[in-house]
Amino acid sequence: MVIVQHFVNALQWGSFYALIALGYTLVYGVLSLINFAHGDIFMVGAYIAFFVSTALLASDSFGLSHFQALSLTIPLTMLLTSCVGMTLERIAYRPLRRKGAHRLYVVITALMCGLVLENGNLALLGASRRTLPEMLDKVVYNIGGIAVTNLKIGVIFTALLVFVALQYIVTRTRMGMAMRAVSWDKFALPLMGIALDRVIVFTFVMGSGIAGLGGMLFAMSYPVLDPYMGSMVGWKAFIAAVVGGIGDIRGAFLGGFLLAFVEIMVAAFLPSTFRDLFAFTVLLLIMWQRPTGIFGAPQTTKI
Amino acid sequence: MLRVENIFASYGKIEAVHGISFHVDEGEIVTLIGANGAGKSTTLKAIMRLVPPGAPVLTKGDIFFEGRSLLTVEPHNVVAKLLIALVPEGRHIFGNLSVLENLILPTWTRKNDPDVPMDMERIFELFPRLGERRNQRSDTLSGGEQQMLAVGRALMTKCRLLLLDEPSMGLAPQLMYEMFRTLKKLNEGGLTIVVVEQNARLALQVADRGYVLDTGEIVAEGPCAALLDDPEIKKIYLGG
Ligand SMILES: Nc1ncnc2c1ncn2[C@@H]1O[C@H](COP(=O)(O)OP(=O)(O)OP(=O)(O)O)[C@@H](O)[C@H]1O
Ligand SMILES: [Mg+2]
């Protein structure tokens, strides 16, 4: 029974990792750019959720119920977070792309963008931690001795839904086709009459919108926010995406859950200080066997 | 239809084209020939308004399409709005997409055009091999088939002016003649064509007029028959 409880927890954490890993993999798949600011976009998403929900609930004039506030906060958070992602693309990555800068500089720029987001947040909002207002009235289901909250079910369900939707967009829609085309050959896309920037902006909007959603769900599950909350989770999600095979959507999804399972199972049976050591050792072993990740094909095939 | 006026094009600090002028009339086949590095591909990329990296910057001169300057037009609009298409050097097909997807992609901007399915059928008529392999990943095609796909894909934009950069590259002689016969056929159907070609003799036999480029400048021009007879050109570009 205890093991099943751990299993449920692993599914929840896997969902958080997967939601972030999907954004990493999307941007990498299309642009071969490791967007190291992505973990911090997740953090920004949590803060945006905090401000939006606080504003919605604080003013009596709206007179919103918790559920109404929640259903407004989700799209607003995703929208505003994708604006942040879009802005980064616009002011940081696009100029470098125009100049044909080497990948290394783009990656360093991404790292710096992440630091700017973290420290900008710190400077603007101060070090005090914030708490997301309660928007979901907690319900605990007791299924055969296992306690599952409605929030957990929601988180897992959301991750699954996002995965299916992304997979659909990438494989079945024209925009997805254009994204795959860009991943193979950026030069030739405009020759198809399609604006390259439009496809790239769309990619960033998707990636950061999903990260915003993840940040919000994370903040609902662990309501205390701080400016560095995205960095460790972000790194782990990045590793999960690489282990899954970066550039592959299935890989990011699976990698997120894999990491969560290893972590939670290790923590269940060993002292908690062993958790990361074991988790990363397992991931190292996988990489050792499959350097391109579980779903990753060599170099050229991304997304 | 197309008028290139005294263009200078550079990659960073390196200037590759130093003042080229030429024109293309509606219904013509015009060929640009010249040695490696003469600036032929650079000229075509400049016409398409493609941007660096990979394409040059126009530092001087102007390009007019039907009297309208292309300088402020973005590359995707050159294709989607002005209906000029380029088959780039080295094909640049999307290897991770199927043959069919490669052909569908350029029809995105033709959203409400009822002719798309018919045009697709026409491509498969023109290149039956593509039809047979429509669901195959396009990087599994042979070089020649990829070249056909690159041409087919450009035609799916419903272009009025087609620029081709070495369409015969990597083709066996048989296929090479076939490709040029196809171009001739398309031209007879009303398509205006500019073709850059290494095989100068073949290009001059098919085209109406030709321009000879050398290190970023035009050194000779005229009707193809005259160029074919020119002793100087014979010696340098047609192998005696
Ligand atoms: N991306 C680039 N960056 C820098 N220089 C370039 C680039 N592409 C071409 N050049 C230079 O510009 C000049 C003209 O090149 P271009 O590709 O236009 O020649 P070309 O006539 O098409 O030759 P070929 O027959 O070999 O294809 C060459 O000297 C080449 O070195
Ligand atoms: Mg060339």
Side-chain angles (χ1 to χ4, degrees), chain A residues 59-130:
Chain A
S59 62
D60 289 331
S61 53
F62 293 140
L64 296 172
S65 73
H66 280 186
F67 182 74
Q68 285 168 326
L70 178 66
S71 18
L72 275 176
T73 308
I74 292 174
L76 281 175
T77 302
M78 291 181 73
L79 186 78
L80 292 172
T81 315
S82 47
C83 289
V84 175
M86 240 162 75
T87 310
L88 279 191
E89 191 275 329
R90 191 61 190 254
I91 62 177
Y93 306 144
R94 189 181 294 185
L96 290 176
R97 188 168 70 244
R98 289 274 154 83
K99 293 193 180 86
H102 189 276
R103 253 202 234 178
L104 176 65
Y105 303 107
V106 187
V107 168
I108 298 294
T109 302
L111 271 173
M112 291 191 290
C113 286
L115 290 172
V116 166
L117 287 178
E118 278 174 25
N119 293 297
N121 183 332
L122 191 65
L124 277 174
L125 304 175
S128 71
R129 297 179 157 213
R130 279 154 210 270

Side-chain angles (χ1 to χ4, degrees), chain A residues 114-220:
Chain A
L115 290 172
V116 166
L117 287 178
E118 278 174 25
N119 293 297
N121 183 332
L122 191 65
L124 277 174
L125 304 175
S128 71
R129 297 179 157 213
R130 279 154 210 270
T131 311
L132 195 77
E134 191 91 38
M135 275 181 291
L136 193 64
D137 306 317
K138 191 165 166 180
V139 183
V140 184
Y141 302 104
N142 208 313
I143 309 164
I146 309 141
V148 189
T149 61
N150 51 349
L151 181 58
K152 260 184 207 173
I153 294 174
V155 168
I156 298 164
F157 186 70
T158 305
L160 205 63
L161 196 73
V162 165
F163 167 68
V164 172
L166 261 190
Q167 190 74 358
Y168 177 82
I169 288 172
V170 169
T171 56
R172 295 271 184 278
T173 67
R174 283 185 192 245
M175 184 50 99
M177 204 189 280
M179 285 163 72
R180 283 181 286 141
V182 172
S183 112
W184 186 271
D185 193 331
K186 278 208 279 290
F187 173 82
L189 194 80
L191 297 177
M192 305 295 102
I194 303 166
L196 179 61
D197 287 340
R198 188 171 151 201
V199 179
I200 291 175
V201 165
F202 181 82
T203 308
F204 273 88
V205 164
M206 298 272 288
S208 37
I210 295 168
L213 181 62
M216 171 171 177
L217 292 172
F218 189 84
M220 285 173 74

